[in-house]
Amino acid sequence: MTVKVGVIGTGSIGAEHVRRLAQQVSGAEVTAVFDVDRERAIEVGAPVGAAVHFAAHDVIDDPAVDAVLIASPGDLHAEQVLACLAAGKPVLCEKPLATTAESALKVVEAEAAHGRSLVRVGFMRRHDFGYRQVKAVLDGGGIGEPLLMHCVHRNASAPSWFTSEMSLTDSVVHEIDAARWLLGAEIVAATVVAVKSSPLAGGLRDPQIVILETAGGVVIEVESFVNCQYGYEVRCEVVGSTGTVSLDTPSTGAVTRSGGRTQPLPDDWRTRFGQAYLDELQAWVDGRPGGATAWDGYAATAVAEACLRSLATGARSTVALADAPTGSPQ
Amino acid sequence: MTVKVGVIGTGSIGAEHVRRLAQQVSGAEVTAVFDVDRERAIEVGAPVGAAVHFAAHDVIDDPAVDAVLIASPGDLHAEQVLACLAAGKPVLCEKPLATTAESALKVVEAEAAHGRSLVRVGFMRRHDFGYRQVKAVLDGGGIGEPLLMHCVHRNASAPSWFTSEMSLTDSVVHEIDAARWLLGAEIVAATVVAVKSSPLAGGLRDPQIVILETAGGVVIEVESFVNCQYGYEVRCEVVGSTGTVSLDTPSTGAVTRSGGRTQPLPDDWRTRFGQAYLDELQAWVDGRPGGATAWDGYAATAVAEACLRSLATGARSTVALADAPTGSPQ
Amino acid sequence: MTVKVGVIGTGSIGAEHVRRLAQQVSGAEVTAVFDVDRERAIEVGAPVGAAVHFAAHDVIDDPAVDAVLIASPGDLHAEQVLACLAAGKPVLCEKPLATTAESALKVVEAEAAHGRSLVRVGFMRRHDFGYRQVKAVLDGGGIGEPLLMHCVHRNASAPSWFTSEMSLTDSVVHEIDAARWLLGAEIVAATVVAVKSSPLAGGLRDPQIVILETAGGVVIEVESFVNCQYGYEVRCEVVGSTGTVSLDTPSTGAVTRSGGRTQPLPDDWRTRFGQAYLDELQAWVDGRPGGATAWDGYAATAVAEACLRSLATGARSTVALADAPTGSPQ
Amino acid sequence: MTVKVGVIGTGSIGAEHVRRLAQQVSGAEVTAVFDVDRERAIEVGAPVGAAVHFAAHDVIDDPAVDAVLIASPGDLHAEQVLACLAAGKPVLCEKPLATTAESALKVVEAEAAHGRSLVRVGFMRRHDFGYRQVKAVLDGGGIGEPLLMHCVHRNASAPSWFTSEMSLTDSVVHEIDAARWLLGAEIVAATVVAVKSSPLAGGLRDPQIVILETAGGVVIEVESFVNCQYGYEVRCEVVGSTGTVSLDTPSTGAVTRSGGRTQPLPDDWRTRFGQAYLDELQAWVDGRPGGATAWDGYAATAVAEACLRSLATGARSTVALADAPTGSPQ
C-alpha cells in the first residue's frame, strides 16, 4: 500500500523532501513533481521516476497522485492548498500555510466545509525528539504550571535577500508554533523590541527580541538572530511554577583539545532537524494524527502578522483570531 | 598590618561578614559592631572580641576602627556612608548604596568633594570566578561586539514580607550592576513586562521580566523569579556579533541514579556566592582596586528606580543620570 | 524495487526488526518469517503479510525472499548464515556471527569461496550518530594518534538467566567491535579484572573490567555492568596524543526541579540505539557499503573467546586470528 | 592569635604557600623560611618579613615558629618531619610524606610515640569542593555500595626531568590518597598496565593505566597522562550498586563560536586546585580536624611503591601495610 506523492516545488527543501520520500520513508513514492524551473524539476524528479508536470495544478489533478506536498514559494501556498482541498487530496504544506492570516483563514474554512482533516503544515519541530521530550514533561505536570518561556533561534548567516521582516515570518514563526503547541494556548499579543544590530547583519535589524503573550498571561521571549556567524542553534526553556524544562542543542559527545572541551554545533536546520523532517513525512504518509493543522497554520500566520505590525510601529500589537469554524477538523 | 573593621548591622548578612573578616580574611579583625538588636550584636561581636556599641555612629567614630562595613537596613545606608566619608574612613556598603537615586547621588558628590575613593558597594558578583571569566572573554573581544544579554535570577522562595518591588530593587539590581560592569555601558531605559504570576508566589508579581537598554542599544533581558521553588540559579548569556559567552551554574560533577544524571544546584546565594563575598572582603581589606564604586551604586539605584516606575505604569521608563562630578573617583 | 526480506527468529529483537522493515525502512517488505514458537511467528508475521514457515531453511529457500535477517538464538547463527551463503542470498545476522571463533571462521571462508560480500553482522553502533562523530574526529586526525580508550557499558538489570560469561559475549562484544572499528586495528589480547560484585547482581560477577590490547599497543579499558539499576548507559572516550574525543549519553535537554538539573537517561538499548538499528536496516536494504563484515564478526567472536578464557583463568589471554582468506570480501 | 609558620623550601610550591599564608590565610604569618637556594629564600621570605635561615633545622627550632610547612625535595621530608615531631611542633608536609614506605612508617611510629596528632600531609584534593561533594554523596549512601572507580589525571606536559616512575609517585599518588579517603579503605594491590606511549611524551611511558584494588575488592582504575598536550584535567567516577557519582572538571560557563560550544580547562594544578590549597592551609592554621594524617602519607607511599614494583616487573604487586601503632593518632 504505497502512497503516491506529488511534490510542488523542487528547490532546496522540496528536493530534500523528494529524496526522503523516495529513499527513506516507508510506504511512499514520488510520482509527480513540478517546479517553475523545469530543468530543476527534471533533475530532481527523473531519478526517482516521477512525472514532471508543466503546472502545479497538473500535479494536484494527476490521478497517479494520492497526496500532495507543497514546497513552492510561500505566497503560492494558500491557493495550492485550496486546490488540493478541492481535489479532496491530503496535503502537507511547508510553512507558512499562507502569507496573510486572511488567506490562511480561507484554507481553514475550506477544510471545515470539506469536513475532513486534509491539511498538515510543515512545522517540523513538533516531530523533533527533544521538543517531544519537553512536551512530555509539560503534559506530565513535571514543572507545575507554565509561566514563561525563553527561546533562542540563531542561524549562522542569512542570504542577501533576507529581510528584517523575514526574521519574524520565517524564523520566529517556528517559535510561535512551538510555543502554541507546547503550551496548548493561543498567542494574543506580540511586541518586537529594538536591539542593537550586528555590524555583520548587512543592514538587517538583527538580532531581534520578540515578546509574545498567551491569553492566560504566559510570556514567551524569543531571540531571533539570523547572522550569528557561528552555527545553528535552537534552544528554549519553559519556566513553570515548580521547575523548568529545557530544549538544548542535542549533544552526543565532545572533543577536548588545547583551549577546552568543545561540543560541536549543527551547521544549519537541515542537520539539526533532518530527523524531524523525516519523522514528519513518515507520520504524514502513515496517516498518523499529530502535526500542525490548518488552524495551527492560520494562528501562526496571524501572530507573525502581529509581529510585523509591531516591528513597523514599535508598539505592542494584539492578535485577533477568528472563531474556529464549526466542524473545523482541528 | 591588620585592618580594624567596624561592622554596622549584624543580621544575617552582617553576621556572615563578621565571621569571614574574623576567620577567613587575611589581615583583618573586627573591632566594633552595632545592631539595633543589641542582643544579636553581642552574640555576633563578642566571640570575635569586638566592642559592641550603642549607635552606628559610635562604630564610625571609634578610633579602633580603620574601615567600616555597612550591613544595616537599606534605607539607612546613604546616611551612614556619608558619615564614614565625613570621618574619612573607607567604607564597604552592602547594596543598595541608597534607596533613592537622589540620596545615592549625594554620596557620589560627597566622595568627589572629599577627593579620595573611599566607598565600595557590595555587588559581590564582580568578584565571582564565573563572572570574571565572562568579563575576560568580553574584554578580550572573544565574541565580537556585544549586542544583547539574557539573564536569569531565581530564588527558591522569598520571605513573606517580600514585595514585587523588592524583586526589582533587591534581585534585579544585581543584574543591573553586572550588566553595566560586563558591558562597560550605562543603562538608559527599563521596561517591566507583565508575566503570569506563579500560584506559589503568595500574591507577588513573580516571575517578572525586565528589559534594560544601554545607550548603545544593547538590550539586557532579565528574568527575576523569587519563588521558583527548586533552588538558587543565576545565569546569563551575552550574545555578540561573532559568538556568545555564558555564565552557567557552576558545576563540579553529577550523581546518576534512576531518573537520570543530576547536577546539584546551590540552595541560595550564600552557597552560590560565598567565595565571591570572601574575595570581595579580601580585596577590600587589601585595598586593591576593583569592585563597585559610589557611582556604580548610584547608577544601579537610578536604574532600579526606573524599573519601579515601569512596574507602576506598565510603560518604558528612561533613566536620567546626573553628570559625574568633576574629580569623581570612579 | 522492493527488497523482500525473510526474518528468522521473531523474539524481542526479531519482532522489532520486522516492524522496522515493514513500517519504517524504505524499499523493504517482510515476505517470510520463522520462529520455533510458531504462535509468536504468526503474531509477528501475519500483520505484515509475511508467510509463516515451519523451518528456518524454508525462509532461506523461499523464492519470495531476496535477503535474510537472522535474529535466532546465537548458537544457530553460523549454520544459518552458511545456508544463506549456499543460497547466494545477502544476510544480516544479529551479533554474534557465531558462538565460537572456529565456526565464525567457517563463515568467513565460505563467503570468500563464494566471492561476493553477502554477510553483514548486526553491530548497530557503527550506525549510531554519536559513534560516527567519534569516528570522523579520529579519521580526521582531530586528536592525533589514538593511545587508549575508556568504555562504559551499563544496563539497568539483566534477566535471571544472564551469566557472567554473557556480560562478555553479549555486552562487551559491542565494545570489542566498536574499538576495532574506531581504531582500525585488531585486538590481540584480553584480560578480565576481578571486581567486587554488586549485591544486587544476583550472584553474577558484575561489574567487570576488561582490558583489551591492540597489536599497536593501544589499550581499551571496558567496564561492563549489567545490573547498574539506574538505566542504560554507553559511553567512551578515546585518548590521543593531542586531544580526546568522547561519546556521551545523547542529551537534548534537562529538567530542573528541587534537587538539581537532571538529564534523562534511556531505559535500555532499544531506546538508545533505536535510530541506529533503523539506519543499519536502511543501509542494508539499500545495499550501501559499511557495517560489520563476516571478518568483523569473526574477530569479535575470537576476542570474546579470549575474554572468556581470561575470566576462567584470571590471566591475560592472547587472540590468534587466522589469516584473512584470499579474496575475502572485507 | 596568629600562628607563626616557618616554611622549609621556597621553590615553586613553597613560594605559593608563603604567599597564601602571608596574604590570604586568616590568622597566619610567615616568620621564617629556608631554602638551599638562599637567594630564592630571601626573594620569597623578605617581602613577608620572614627571617631567612641557613638550615632547615634552624626553621624548626626557631622559637618564633609555631608550626612548620615542609615544601623541600621529597627525599628530605621524612627526616624534617621527624625533627618537627622531636620539637613538638605541628607540621604540614607536602606530599610525599617520604619516598619509601619504610621511612614513612618511622614518622607514623614517632608521632604515635609522641602521642599527639602533629603531622598533616598535603593531599590538597581532600579540601577541593568537588571532591567533597563526591565524598558527601558516598557517605550519605547516595550510590549504594561503592564497587569500582575510574580516574583520569592529565597534565599538559611534564618537565624534561620527569620520569615514568614519577608519573606514579607524583601524579597517581594523588589518586591513591583520594581513593583511600573517598572509599574509606586501604589499597592492597597495584598493577601497572603497559599502554602505547605518546610520540610527544619524550620517551616516557605515558600514558599509563594503573589498577588498584582495595581489601574489599573495589577496583580503582587510574589513567595518568603527563603529556596530554591540551591542559590539566582531573576527573573521577565512583560506580556504586545503585548509582554513580562523578567529579568533573569544574565549569562555570562556555564560549560558543564557530566550531562549537567550548568549556575552558585549567592550565595546570595551580589553577585547578588553588582554592583547595588555600582551604587546606586555613584548616591547618585553624587547627581543624581533617586532612591527610601521617598514616595516610605512609599508606600512599606504600601503594606507590607497589606501583613502582609493578612497573618494573609487569606483574601485579601487593601492598603489605604495617599494623597501625597503638595510640596512633589517625
Side-chain angles (χ1 to χ4, degrees):
Chain A
M1 278 255 316
T2 299
V3 176
K4 295 170 200 151
V5 180
V7 175
I8 299 173
T10 55
S12 163
I13 197 167
E16 289 201 26
H17 281 317
V18 168
R19 181 184 56 74
R20 282 190 198 97
L21 286 165
Q23 299 175 7
Q24 295 185 273
V25 173
S26 177
E29 63 181 312
V30 180
T31 50
V33 299
F34 165 76
D35 198 283
V36 287
D37 178 347
R38 185 163 171 80
E39 276 188 43
R40 170 75 177 177
I42 292 170
E43 184 184 34
V44 171
V48 302
V52 179
H53 289 303
F54 285 87
H57 288 230
D58 291 345
V59 171
I60 296 168
D61 297 335
D62 188 334
V65 164
D66 300 328
V68 180
L69 190 156
I70 296 176
S72 56
D75 55 353
L76 304 178
H77 287 184
E79 189 249 355
Q80 292 170 345
V81 172
L82 288 171
C84 292
L85 285 171
K89 295 190 178 178
V91 55
L92 174 60
C93 179
E94 264 306 312
K95 58 98 193 163
L97 176 58
T99 48
T100 67
E102 189 184 355
S103 51
L105 187 58
K106 284 188 186 147
V107 174
V108 171
E109 291 167 342
E111 188 190 42
H114 196 281
R116 285 173 56 207
S117 176
L118 291 174
V119 181
R120 282 292 173 276
V121 182
F123 285 118
M124 76 290 183
R125 292 189 188 178
R126 294 186 180 214
H127 299 271
D128 176 67
F129 181 79
Y131 268 109
R132 293 177 91 102
Q133 285 210 325
V134 172
K135 176 77 168 156
V137 170
L138 291 173
D139 290 354
I143 64 164
E145 195 177 328
L147 303 171
L148 65 84
M149 188 170 166
H150 301 285
C151 307
V152 160
H153 185 161
R154 296 177 191 146
N155 288 268
S157 61
S160 59
W161 41 264
F162 211 83
T163 65
S164 304
E165 286 74 17
M166 293 174 76
S167 175
L168 303 171
T169 56
D170 284 40
S171 282
V172 173
V173 73
H174 281 291
E175 270 72 26
I176 292 170
D177 181 68
R180 290 181 63 254
W181 172 64
L182 289 174
L183 300 172
E186 295 296 355
I187 292 167
V188 298
T191 311
V192 177
V193 177
V195 179
K196 178 178 193 176
S197 292
S198 169
L200 305 173
L204 290 193
R205 287 182 54 163
D206 187 37
Q208 299 190 66
I209 286 183
V210 181
I211 307 287
L212 305 171
E213 306 163 40
T214 72
V218 177
V219 166
I220 302 113
E221 172 256 330
V222 183
E223 175 203 323
S224 175
F225 191 3
V226 299
N227 287 286
C228 81
Q229 306 300 318
Y230 64 76
Y232 184 75
E233 206 170 11
V234 166
R235 293 185 275 119
C236 77
E237 182 186 29
V238 187
V239 182
S241 55
T242 60
T244 77
V245 58
S246 66
L247 172 82
D248 303 325
T249 296
S251 166
T252 65
V255 175
T256 302
R257 277 190 288 232
S258 185
R261 183 178 187 275
T262 301
Q263 293 180 314
L265 286 178
D267 292 333
D268 62 16
W269 45 271
R270 286 175 192 84
T271 316
R272 171 65 182 85
F273 288 112
Q275 187 65 42
Y277 279 114
L278 180 54
D279 290 351
E280 177 186 66
L281 288 177
Q282 187 72 61
W284 180 57
V285 163
D286 293 351
R288 274 181 274 145
T293 63
W295 179 265
D296 294 322
Y298 159 65
T301 299
V303 177
E305 274 188 351
C307 291
L308 291 180
R309 286 193 300 271
S310 179
L311 177 68
T313 64
R316 178 173 177 272
S317 178
T318 56
V319 182
L321 291 183
D323 292 334
T326 314
S328 172
Q330 294 174 43
Chain B
M1 275 255 318
T2 298
V3 176
K4 295 172 199 148
V5 180
V7 176
I8 300 173
T10 56
S12 164
I13 197 167
E16 289 201 27
H17 281 317
V18 168
R19 182 185 53 75
R20 283 190 198 98
L21 286 165
Q23 298 174 7
Q24 297 185 273
V25 173
S26 176
E29 62 182 312
V30 180
T31 50
V33 299
F34 165 76
D35 197 281
V36 287
D37 178 346
R38 184 164 171 80
E39 275 188 42
R40 170 76 177 177
I42 292 169
E43 183 185 34
V44 170
V48 303
V52 181
H53 288 303
F54 285 88
H57 288 230
D58 292 344
V59 171
I60 297 168
D61 297 335
D62 189 333
V65 164
D66 300 324
V68 180
L69 190 155
I70 297 176
S72 57
D75 54 353
L76 304 178
H77 287 185
E79 189 249 356
Q80 291 170 345
V81 173
L82 288 171
C84 291
L85 285 171
K89 295 191 178 177
V91 55
L92 173 60
C93 179
E94 263 306 311
K95 59 95 191 166
L97 176 59
T99 49
T100 66
E102 189 184 353
S103 51
L105 187 58
K106 284 188 186 146
V107 174
V108 172
E109 291 166 343
E111 190 190 41
H114 198 280
R116 283 173 57 207
S117 177
L118 290 174
V119 181
R120 282 293 173 276
V121 182
F123 285 118
M124 75 292 185
R125 293 189 188 178
R126 295 185 180 215
H127 299 271
D128 176 66
F129 181 79
Y131 268 109
R132 293 178 90 102
Q133 285 210 323
V134 172
K135 176 77 168 154
V137 170
L138 291 173
D139 291 353
I143 63 163
E145 196 175 328
L147 303 171
L148 65 83
M149 188 168 165
H150 301 285
C151 307
V152 160
H153 185 161
R154 297 178 190 145
N155 288 269
S157 61
S160 59
W161 41 263
F162 211 81
T163 65
S164 305
E165 286 74 16
M166 292 173 78
S167 174
L168 303 171
T169 55
D170 284 39
S171 283
V172 173
V173 74
H174 282 291
E175 270 71 27
I176 291 169
D177 181 68
R180 290 182 64 255
W181 171 63
L182 289 174
L183 300 172
E186 294 296 354
I187 292 168
V188 298
T191 311
V192 177
V193 177
V195 180
K196 179 179 193 176
S197 292
S198 169
L200 305 174
L204 290 194
R205 287 181 55 163
D206 187 36
Q208 299 189 67
I209 286 183
V210 181
I211 308 286
L212 305 171
E213 306 163 41
T214 72
V218 177
V219 167
I220 303 112
E221 173 255 332
V222 183
E223 174 202 324
S224 174
F225 191 3
V226 299
N227 287 286
C228 81
Q229 305 301 317
Y230 64 75
Y232 184 73
E233 206 172 10
V234 165
R235 293 186 275 120
C236 77
E237 183 186 26
V238 186
V239 182
S241 55
T242 60
T244 77
V245 58
S246 66
L247 172 83
D248 303 326
T249 297
S251 167
T252 64
V255 175
T256 303
R257 278 188 289 231
S258 185
R261 182 176 190 276
T262 300
Q263 293 179 314
L265 286 178
D267 291 334
D268 61 16
W269 46 270
R270 285 175 192 84
T271 317
R272 171 65 182 85
F273 288 113
Q275 187 65 42
Y277 279 113
L278 181 53
D279 290 351
E280 177 186 66
L281 288 177
Q282 187 72 61
W284 179 59
V285 163
D286 293 350
R288 275 181 274 147
T293 63
W295 179 265
D296 294 321
Y298 160 65
T301 299
V303 177
E305 275 188 351
C307 291
L308 290 179
R309 286 193 300 271
S310 178
L311 176 69
T313 64
R316 178 173 178 270
S317 178
T318 55
V319 181
L321 291 183
D323 292 334
T326 314
S328 172
Q330 291 175 43
Chain C
M1 276 257 316
T2 299
V3 176
K4 294 171 200 149
V5 180
V7 175
I8 299 174
T10 55
S12 164
I13 195 166
E16 289 202 27
H17 281 316
V18 167
R19 182 184 55 74
R20 282 190 198 98
L21 286 165
Q23 298 174 8
Q24 297 185 273
V25 173
S26 177
E29 61 182 314
V30 180
T31 51
V33 299
F34 166 75
D35 198 282
V36 287
D37 178 346
R38 183 162 172 82
E39 276 188 42
R40 170 75 178 179
I42 292 169
E43 184 185 33
V44 171
V48 303
V52 179
H53 289 304
F54 284 88
H57 288 230
D58 292 345
V59 171
I60 297 168
D61 297 335
D62 189 333
V65 164
D66 299 327
V68 180
L69 190 157
I70 297 176
S72 56
D75 56 352
L76 304 177
H77 287 185
E79 189 249 355
Q80 292 171 345
V81 172
L82 288 171
C84 292
L85 285 171
K89 294 189 179 178
V91 55
L92 174 60
C93 179
E94 264 306 312
K95 59 96 193 164
L97 176 59
T99 48
T100 67
E102 189 185 354
S103 51
L105 187 57
K106 285 188 185 145
V107 174
V108 171
E109 291 167 344
E111 189 190 41
H114 197 280
R116 285 173 56 207
S117 176
L118 291 174
V119 181
R120 283 291 173 278
V121 182
F123 285 118
M124 74 292 183
R125 292 190 188 176
R126 294 184 181 216
H127 299 271
D128 175 66
F129 181 79
Y131 269 110
R132 293 177 91 101
Q133 285 211 325
V134 172
K135 176 78 168 153
V137 169
L138 291 173
D139 290 353
I143 63 163
E145 195 176 329
L147 303 171
L148 65 83
M149 188 169 165
H150 301 285
C151 307
V152 160
H153 185 160
R154 297 178 190 145
N155 288 268
S157 61
S160 59
W161 40 264
F162 211 82
T163 65
S164 304
E165 286 75 17
M166 292 174 76
S167 175
L168 303 171
T169 56
D170 285 38
S171 282
V172 174
V173 74
H174 281 290
E175 270 72 27
I176 292 170
D177 182 68
R180 289 182 64 255
W181 171 64
L182 289 174
L183 300 172
E186 296 296 355
I187 292 167
V188 298
T191 312
V192 177
V193 177
V195 180
K196 178 179 194 175
S197 292
S198 169
L200 305 173
L204 291 194
R205 288 182 53 163
D206 187 38
Q208 299 189 66
I209 286 183
V210 181
I211 308 286
L212 305 171
E213 306 163 40
T214 71
V218 177
V219 167
I220 303 112
E221 172 255 332
V222 184
E223 174 202 324
S224 175
F225 191 3
V226 299
N227 288 286
C228 81
Q229 306 300 317
Y230 64 75
Y232 184 74
E233 207 171 9
V234 165
R235 294 186 275 119
C236 77
E237 182 186 29
V238 186
V239 182
S241 55
T242 60
T244 77
V245 58
S246 66
L247 172 83
D248 302 327
T249 296
S251 167
T252 65
V255 175
T256 303
R257 278 189 290 232
S258 185
R261 182 177 188 276
T262 301
Q263 293 179 313
L265 286 178
D267 292 333
D268 61 17
W269 45 271
R270 286 174 193 85
T271 316
R272 171 65 182 85
F273 288 113
Q275 187 65 42
Y277 278 113
L278 180 54
D279 290 351
E280 177 186 65
L281 287 178
Q282 187 72 62
W284 180 58
V285 162
D286 293 350
R288 274 181 273 145
T293 63
W295 178 265
D296 294 321
Y298 160 66
T301 299
V303 176
E305 274 188 351
C307 291
L308 291 180
R309 286 193 300 272
S310 179
L311 177 68
T313 64
R316 178 174 178 270
S317 178
T318 55
V319 181
L321 292 183
D323 292 335
T326 314
S328 172
Q330 292 175 44
Chain D
M1 274 257 316
T2 299
V3 177
K4 295 171 199 151
V5 180
V7 176
I8 300 173
T10 56
S12 163
I13 197 166
E16 290 200 28
H17 280 317
V18 168
R19 181 185 54 75
R20 283 190 198 97
L21 286 165
Q23 298 175 8
Q24 296 185 273
V25 172
S26 177
E29 62 181 312
V30 181
T31 50
V33 298
F34 166 75
D35 198 282
V36 285
D37 178 347
R38 185 165 171 81
E39 277 188 41
R40 170 76 177 177
I42 292 170
E43 182 185 36
V44 171
V48 303
V52 181
H53 289 303
F54 285 87
H57 288 230
D58 292 345
V59 171
I60 296 168
D61 297 335
D62 188 335
V65 164
D66 300 326
V68 180
L69 190 156
I70 297 176
S72 56
D75 55 352
L76 305 178
H77 287 184
E79 189 248 356
Q80 292 170 345
V81 172
L82 288 171
C84 292
L85 286 171
K89 295 190 178 177
V91 55
L92 173 60
C93 179
E94 264 306 312
K95 59 97 191 163
L97 176 59
T99 48
T100 66
E102 190 185 353
S103 52
L105 186 59
K106 283 187 188 148
V107 174
V108 171
E109 291 167 344
E111 189 191 41
H114 197 280
R116 283 173 58 207
S117 176
L118 290 174
V119 181
R120 283 291 173 276
V121 182
F123 285 118
M124 77 290 185
R125 292 190 188 177
R126 296 186 180 214
H127 299 271
D128 176 66
F129 181 79
Y131 269 108
R132 292 177 92 101
Q133 285 210 325
V134 171
K135 177 77 168 155
V137 169
L138 291 173
D139 290 353
I143 63 163
E145 195 177 327
L147 304 170
L148 64 84
M149 189 169 165
H150 301 284
C151 307
V152 160
H153 185 161
R154 297 177 190 146
N155 288 269
S157 61
S160 59
W161 40 263
F162 211 82
T163 65
S164 305
E165 285 74 16
M166 292 173 77
S167 175
L168 303 171
T169 55
D170 284 39
S171 282
V172 173
V173 73
H174 281 292
E175 271 71 27
I176 292 169
D177 181 67
R180 291 182 64 254
W181 172 63
L182 290 174
L183 300 171
E186 295 296 353
I187 293 167
V188 298
T191 311
V192 178
V193 177
V195 179
K196 178 180 193 174
S197 291
S198 168
L200 305 173
L204 290 194
R205 288 182 55 163
D206 186 37
Q208 299 189 66
I209 287 183
V210 181
I211 306 287
L212 305 170
E213 306 162 41
T214 72
V218 178
V219 167
I220 303 112
E221 173 255 331
V222 183
E223 174 202 323
S224 175
F225 191 3
V226 298
N227 287 286
C228 81
Q229 305 299 318
Y230 64 75
Y232 184 73
E233 206 171 12
V234 166
R235 293 186 275 119
C236 77
E237 183 187 26
V238 185
V239 183
S241 55
T242 60
T244 77
V245 58
S246 66
L247 171 83
D248 303 325
T249 297
S251 166
T252 64
V255 175
T256 303
R257 279 190 289 231
S258 185
R261 182 176 188 277
T262 301
Q263 294 179 314
L265 286 178
D267 292 333
D268 61 16
W269 46 270
R270 286 174 193 84
T271 317
R272 170 65 182 86
F273 288 112
Q275 187 64 43
Y277 279 113
L278 180 54
D279 290 350
E280 177 186 66
L281 287 178
Q282 186 72 63
W284 179 58
V285 163
D286 293 350
R288 276 181 274 146
T293 63
W295 179 265
D296 294 321
Y298 160 65
T301 298
V303 177
E305 273 188 353
C307 292
L308 291 179
R309 286 194 300 272
S310 180
L311 176 68
T313 64
R316 178 174 177 270
S317 178
T318 54
V319 181
L321 291 183
D323 292 334
T326 313
S328 171
Q330 293 174 44

